[in-house]
Amino acid sequence: DPNNYFFYVQANTTVGFGFARNDTQVAKFTKSLTTGIQLISIPLILNNTNISNVLQTLDFEVAWYYNNTDVLDPWKSYNPSKPFNDLTTINRTMALWVNVTEDSNLTVAGIVPKITNIQLKQGWNFVGYPSFIERTVAETLSGVDYERIEGYSLSSPEYLKIYSDSDLMVPGHGYWIKVSGDA
C-alpha cells in the first residue's frame, strides 16, 4: 500500500478512568522508488535506526551518506553484501543516495516529529526533510543564510537540480544545502 497513514494511540478502560489519548502522532510512510540512483530521507523518528532495518523493504545495492563533520572521510556507505560498513544507522536529519536495483517501496513506521532543527555546518550539508508539510525553500530555510540548495533530478549523471526559493521541499526527499557559516 503506497499511501501514508497517520495515527494517534488511545487507551480505553472500563474501570472508570475514561480514556487517555497520547498527543504523539505516529505514521506509516511509504515512498515508491524506481530502479536507479535515488535521493531519499526518512521523515520519521524511528525506534530502530539500524540501516538494515530501515531499508528492509527496499531492493538496493548500496546506500551513501555525506557527513561533512568527518573531514578525512566524509562519504559513508552501506552495502548489504559486505560484512563491514561505515554507515550503520539512519535518522530523520540525514539524506541518502541509494542505488535501487528493482522498483520497490521504501516503507517505515515511526513517530511524526513536531519540530526538527538541523545544525548546518559551513560548506555543503546533506540533509533530509523531516516534515510531512511541503514548504518552499524560502519558508523552510527562513533565517538561514544559504548560498545554494540542490535536490533530486531524474537526469544523470549528477541526478541533481538547483532549487530556487519558490521550489517545494518534499517529505522523503534529500537535499544538499551550502552555507557560508554554521547555521
Side-chain angles (χ1 to χ4, degrees):
D1 181 358
N3 295 310
N4 296 323
Y5 294 98
F6 299 88
F7 307 91
Y8 286 102
V9 177
Q10 177 175 305
N12 290 317
T13 180
T14 59
V15 189
F17 297 110
F19 67 91
R21 178 177 168 192
N22 190 332
D23 69 345
T24 300
Q25 188 177 38
V26 294
K28 185 225 34 133
F29 170 75
T30 298
K31 182 172 178 65
S32 296
L33 299 172
T34 57
T35 302
I37 301 294
Q38 301 287 328
L39 180 52
I40 66 165
S41 69
I42 309 295
L44 295 169
I45 301 168
L46 303 174
N47 184 45
N48 182 342
T49 60
N50 183 291
I51 193 166
S52 62
N53 182 68
V54 177
L55 301 181
Q56 68 182 321
T57 64
L58 192 59
D59 292 318
F60 73 102
E61 179 180 46
V62 64
W64 304 273
Y65 170 66
Y66 181 82
N67 180 353
N68 71 345
T69 62
D70 187 343
V71 179
L72 298 177
D73 183 24
W75 282 103
K76 309 300 178 194
S77 67
Y78 174 76
N79 183 329
S81 66
K82 292 189 176 181
F84 300 105
N85 293 283
D86 55 0
L87 177 60
T88 57
T89 61
I90 301 173
N91 68 57
R92 70 186 185 276
T93 67
M94 300 167 68
L96 295 174
W97 284 111
V98 181
N99 187 10
V100 177
T101 56
E102 185 175 322
D103 292 1
S104 51
N105 288 332
L106 170 63
T107 302
V108 294
I111 296 171
V112 177
K114 292 180 182 175
I115 189 167
T116 301
N117 291 310
I118 299 175
Q119 181 66 39
L120 301 175
K121 298 291 185 183
Q122 180 178 357
W124 284 102
N125 296 265
F126 196 38
V127 300
Y129 185 68
S131 175
F132 283 94
I133 301 169
E134 294 183 5
R135 293 183 179 93
T136 65
V137 168
E139 184 179 6
T140 303
L141 298 177
S142 175
V144 175
D145 186 21
Y146 63 94
E147 295 178 16
R148 185 168 168 155
I149 181 169
E150 298 180 3
Y152 184 72
S153 169
L154 292 173
S155 301
S156 66
E158 294 88 14
Y159 296 101
L160 290 170
K161 72 173 189 169
I162 298 171
Y163 273 52
S164 69
D165 285 348
S166 61
D167 283 324
L168 287 177
M169 296 183 78
V170 179
H173 288 213
Y175 299 93
W176 286 98
I177 301 174
K178 186 176 183 184
V179 293
S180 56
D182 292 356

